[in-house]
Each structure stands twice: as structure tokens, then as C-alpha cells.
Amino acid sequence: MNTAVKAPNARPARWLVALVVLPLAGCTGYFSADVRNDTPQPLFAQIIEQHDNGAVLLDSKRLGPGDRGSVGPVQAEIGRAWIVMDTSPNPKGPARATLKPGTNFFKVTQTGDKTGGPIQVEEIIQ
């Protein structure tokens, strides 16, 4: 004699399945950067998506002295999109900033009176 009791609704609730699946997929957004190069030399700007095991280059742009340009738009996980900006030579190394979804605005200058000075990045809030 079979004494197993069967639940009236043996299928899992759809909302429960959604709660299990949602954390596996990160929320994504579109990111771009409007960059103004106020340095006396070329500036290299890259949008990367940072992960625990490394970074993925999503877009890059070379801006000449005095140029203004756009990097992106790219799609990435929210909280993992960064912009990296650098000139060569730059004694302090690249500048890095987290991107917010949408267009982010930056002005890049260089300290000192020579082309070998460190860069400074200012985020312009629109």
C-alpha cells in the first residue's frame, strides 16, 4: 500500500523560481564617457568591465591634445564599469573612476609645466 501524501500543487511557485534565477544574472546598464583632453599630449581613455578574475576592455579612444570625444556607449553590469585614462609618460599611472549608467563627463588636465607631469581628472556633474 502506498502511503505517500502528494501535495495539492506539486509545481514550484513561479516567483520562487524568479528569486533563484535573478541573483545569477547581474543588472546591466549602458555607459558612456564624454572626455575633454586639456593636456598637451594624447590621452587614452578606455571603458572596462571589472570582474573578480580580471577585466574586459569594452571600448577605447585616443584623444589628441585639446580634443573632446566620446567613449562608448557600452553595456555592462552596474557597479563593474570603469573608465581608465592615461597619457604617456605619466609618473602617477592611469586615473580610474567608476561609471554611473548613462553619460559621464570628465575633464583631464596635467600638472606641472612639462608633458611628463601627472594627470588630474575632474568629473563634471551635469
Side-chain angles (χ1 to χ4, degrees), residues 13-74:
R14 286 189 178 151
W15 63 269
L16 183 60
V17 172
L19 287 177
V20 172
V21 174
L22 281 179
L24 299 176
C27 295
T28 61
Y30 287 92
F31 302 86
S32 66
D34 182 309
V35 181
R36 186 170 155 188
N37 179 13
D38 283 346
T39 72
Q41 57 197 4
L43 175 77
F44 300 92
Q46 302 174 327
I47 295 179
I48 63 167
E49 185 174 15
Q50 185 70 48
H51 294 278
D52 295 337
N53 58 350
V56 176
L57 176 64
L58 300 177
D59 196 17
S60 65
K61 182 95 171 195
R62 179 191 180 275
L63 300 170
D67 287 350
R68 179 180 176 184
S70 181
V71 187
V74 298

Side-chain angles (χ1 to χ4, degrees), residues 36-117:
R36 186 170 155 188
N37 179 13
D38 283 346
T39 72
Q41 57 197 4
L43 175 77
F44 300 92
Q46 302 174 327
I47 295 179
I48 63 167
E49 185 174 15
Q50 185 70 48
H51 294 278
D52 295 337
N53 58 350
V56 176
L57 176 64
L58 300 177
D59 196 17
S60 65
K61 182 95 171 195
R62 179 191 180 275
L63 300 170
D67 287 350
R68 179 180 176 184
S70 181
V71 187
V74 298
Q75 187 173 9
E77 285 186 46
I78 294 174
R80 296 190 178 269
W82 292 77
I83 185 162
V84 179
M85 295 171 277
D86 201 7
T87 59
S88 182
N90 176 13
K92 286 178 68 177
R96 181 178 163 132
T98 305
L99 294 176
K100 297 177 285 295
T103 303
N104 299 255
F105 297 86
F106 298 95
K107 177 181 174 184
V108 183
T109 57
Q110 194 165 16
T111 58
D113 57 352
K114 297 183 180 181
T115 58

